[in-house]
Amino acid sequence: MSYSVGQVAAVAGVTVRTLHHYDEIGLLRPSGRSRAGHRRYEDVDLDRLQQVLFYRELGFPLEEVAVLLDDPDADPVAHLRRQHELLTGRIERLQRMAAAVAHTMEARKMGINLTPEEKFEVFGDFDPDAHAAEAERRWGGTEAYAESQRRTAAYGKEDWLRIKAAADGLNRRLAALMDSGAPPESEEAMDLAEEHRQQIGAFCYDCPYEAHTGLAEMYVADERFTATYDAVRPGLAVYLRDAILANAVRRA
């Protein structure tokens, strides 16, 4: 069975002009011609075309492809093995590129538009990108999440350092107040809880008291948040939670 140049072009996903060019340079000559002189391709020609397209996809110039395919000592199986190795290597490179792009996309979705070095300088061992998917899954449909994305998308390293300094300073003052023996229902503790709420409103999203108390409960219920606060001072997560709840009652 033979095929016209149009049929081969359609099957292979190339243009008729490309097949004419391959014929003219001797890279892929059709095995026969019709009575009218039109090109007719046999199965062996299609096999060679497949080899040509493999090497072209891998970036080989046409001249080098011709040398490879016309080597009298070449083994068809060796060709396939070589192509498999080259394709596998390319797939691995593309997968690494795709992973890098995905990582960047997640970082941009979180508004963390920093280099790896800047990210380490700001966040240390904590990787905000690792929690991006979870954050979107839990709060992606909320106005607060959308507002946070809009705001943080414009933040650079200096902004994040300023935000971190404010949060760290507040945590230290909370820990010091706790060490002084002041209960979380004290005016001083509730004032710091109010400052905590206002920081969220200033840097991320509007945080009404109902939302703030929900965060407070999460600080205790989610061991990751608890560990973050308790690393400053053991028991600080519960202390902050109680101060936030007391402050919400005070402001009601």
Side-chain angles (χ1 to χ4, degrees), residues 25 30 42 80 97 110 118 120 152 163 171 181 193 203 219 228:
I25 65 175
E42 304 291 340
L80 292 173
M97 290 174 62
M110 286 293 289
E118 290 174 332
F120 183 81
T152 58
I163 293 168
N171 288 340
F203 300 135
Y219 294 160
T228 298

Side-chain angles (χ1 to χ4, degrees), residues 14 91 125 179:
V14 298
I91 289 170
D125 292 333
D179 287 337

Side-chain angles (χ1 to χ4, degrees), residues 129-236:
D129 299 343
H131 303 281
E134 180 183 359
E136 184 174 15
R137 185 174 64 253
R138 295 177 67 174
W139 301 294
T142 65
E143 292 183 8
Y145 180 86
E147 183 181 355
S148 177
Q149 299 308 291
R150 287 193 299 270
R151 291 197 198 180
T152 58
Y155 290 168
K157 184 184 76 170
E158 296 305 319
D159 298 305
W160 287 112
L161 287 173
R162 178 169 52 86
I163 293 168
K164 183 175 184 295
D168 289 347
L170 178 58
N171 288 340
R172 285 193 297 270
R173 283 183 284 138
L174 279 164
L177 186 62
M178 185 179 175
D179 287 337
S180 73
E185 298 83 8
S186 66
E187 290 293 323
E188 296 88 345
M190 288 189 289
D191 287 345
L192 290 179
E194 177 63 19
E195 185 177 338
H196 181 274
R197 187 185 73 86
Q198 291 177 3
Q199 280 189 4
I200 296 173
F203 300 135
C204 298
Y205 55 85
D206 183 50
C207 186
Y209 291 102
E210 182 180 0
H212 199 210
T213 58
L215 288 174
E217 295 294 354
M218 185 177 66
Y219 294 160
V220 175
D222 190 320
E223 60 184 13
R224 294 169 297 181
F225 285 98
T226 303
T228 298
Y229 283 107
D230 285 6
V232 179
R233 201 280 191 191
L236 185 60

